[in-house]
Amino acid sequence: MNFHDLFANFPALTITGLEQGAIYALVALGYTLVYGVLRLINFAHSEVFMVGTFTALWTWEALGYDQNSPAPAFGPLILAILAGLAVAMLASAATAVTVELVAYRPLRRRNAPPLAFLITAIGASFVLSESFGIGTARAPFGMPVLIPSETVFTVFGAAVTNLQLLILGVTLIMMIGLDQFVNRSRLGRGIRAVAQDADTAALMGVNKNRVILLVFVLGGLMAGVAALLWNVRYGYTKFNVGFLIGLKAFSAAVLGGIGNLRGALLGGLLLGVVENYAAGLFGGDWKDFTGFVLLIVLLMFRPTGLLGESLGRARA
């Protein structure tokens, strides 16, 4: 254990951990939304994220950018980012909706047991991943460097870059927007009603299938935003890029209290920070290991997660 490195790099590890955790949190929102309404763990959500990374890349390539392109000027940069964001969000949302309509809805119509949903979710995940694996020859793809990393200011000697501020800022904006939408809008009230009691909500005139479709759309949109931020920050994608991110995002959702939107954010940020502290203390090989150990230990003492409030009981 290297306590010297941990304390010497503590500010930098914290900042980097928050940055990584923000991406986990955005993906975790999709898991927690679907679970809050359907009590279903949508393992295909990791591939919804993966689709977003590829479609953003293809959008940039269509605009003429590749790995060797110089960083664009401000105007073209904004256009490229907004185009990539829009396409990634739409593609991820469309993928999520397709999974719901093709894989899950037929099972609900037949009152299938929970195990059937679980197996179908895993199967849908593999179908999407392997489809892209075959189509891309399982090769990694690099991204154009649209936003070079530059230090904006320092905190206790640790550099804070423009990319880190972008990721944290966008994550907070999306989280606040989603939270306000669910808690204050008419459609959000429908989501909470179905999450709390689907049969009673149906008697009150709430269309359950429409609400479920909306939940998948929202989760897909959040995954699309996370995909673009991943591309900008880490600069690559692959057919299985969503696998580990999906596991960590699901862990973040459980850590914060699955079914709780604010818990997903808290769990994601906490997981990212703890992983980085573990890397500083034990070495990079222990990073992933420590995150999952944290989840197991926490659930031993608090099975409902840190916040533990279900989506159906959320209040404005």
Side-chain angles (χ1 to χ4, degrees), residues 114-314:
L115 182 60
F117 284 92
L118 179 62
I119 294 172
T120 301
I122 296 172
S125 174
F126 275 103
V127 166
L128 288 170
S129 177
E130 289 302 311
S131 296
F132 273 75
I134 294 170
T136 62
R138 302 181 184 276
F141 291 82
M143 302 287 167
V145 181
L146 298 179
I147 307 177
S149 180
E150 298 176 356
T151 300
V152 179
F153 56 87
T154 60
V155 177
F156 299 109
V160 179
T161 68
N162 53 344
L163 289 178
Q164 290 169 335
L165 291 176
L166 174 68
I167 291 171
L168 289 172
V170 170
T171 299
L172 288 176
I173 290 170
M174 297 305 295
M175 177 63 221
I176 293 171
L178 181 62
D179 185 72
Q180 292 299 303
F181 176 82
V182 170
N183 284 307
R184 296 185 181 277
S185 71
R186 179 174 172 271
L187 292 174
R189 286 195 297 272
I191 292 174
R192 289 187 286 124
V194 173
Q196 192 166 18
D197 191 326
D199 294 333
T200 302
L203 292 174
M204 299 298 291
V206 178
N207 188 316
K208 179 181 175 180
N209 284 330
R210 191 173 298 170
V211 166
I212 292 171
L213 204 61
L214 174 62
V215 164
F216 276 89
V217 168
L218 292 173
L221 293 175
M222 296 300 112
V225 176
L228 179 118
L229 295 177
W230 171 272
N231 285 0
V232 170
R233 176 62 181 87
Y234 295 102
Y236 82 96
T237 189
K238 197 178 180 182
F239 76 99
N240 61 354
V241 70
F243 177 73
L244 188 57
I245 297 297
L247 284 178
K248 291 184 178 182
F250 174 66
S251 298
V254 176
L255 193 63
I258 193 164
N260 186 307
L261 297 180
R262 298 170 190 178
L265 176 64
L266 177 61
L269 296 177
L270 179 62
L271 183 61
V273 169
V274 170
E275 281 187 347
N276 264 29
Y277 290 162
L281 184 60
F282 303 112
D285 291 342
W286 290 81
K287 182 177 179 180
D288 298 333
F289 171 84
T290 307
F292 293 115
V293 168
L294 170 68
L295 175 66
I296 294 170
V297 171
L298 177 69
L299 292 181
M300 287 172 60
F301 296 98
R302 190 172 177 83
T304 58
L306 291 172
L307 301 185
E309 180 186 314
S310 71
L311 185 65
R313 299 180 183 276

Side-chain angles (χ1 to χ4, degrees), residues 5-17:
D5 281 357
L6 173 63
F7 291 121
N9 299 304
F10 190 82
L13 292 171
T14 302
I15 294 168
T16 307

Side-chain angles (χ1 to χ4, degrees), residues 6-71:
L6 173 63
F7 291 121
N9 299 304
F10 190 82
L13 292 171
T14 302
I15 294 168
T16 307
L18 290 174
E19 168 197 16
Q20 294 173 346
I23 294 177
Y24 298 160
L26 281 173
V27 181
L29 290 171
Y31 285 105
T32 210
L33 277 168
V34 172
Y35 183 85
V37 171
L38 288 177
R39 296 297 184 268
L40 165 68
I41 301 171
N42 179 23
F43 284 113
H45 190 62
S46 56
E47 276 54 60
V48 171
F49 165 82
M50 178 269 295
V51 169
T53 64
F54 272 103
T55 51
L57 170 61
W58 294 336
T59 301
W60 292 334
E61 289 179 344
L63 293 174
Y65 297 102
D66 58 31
Q67 295 182 70
N68 300 317
S69 300

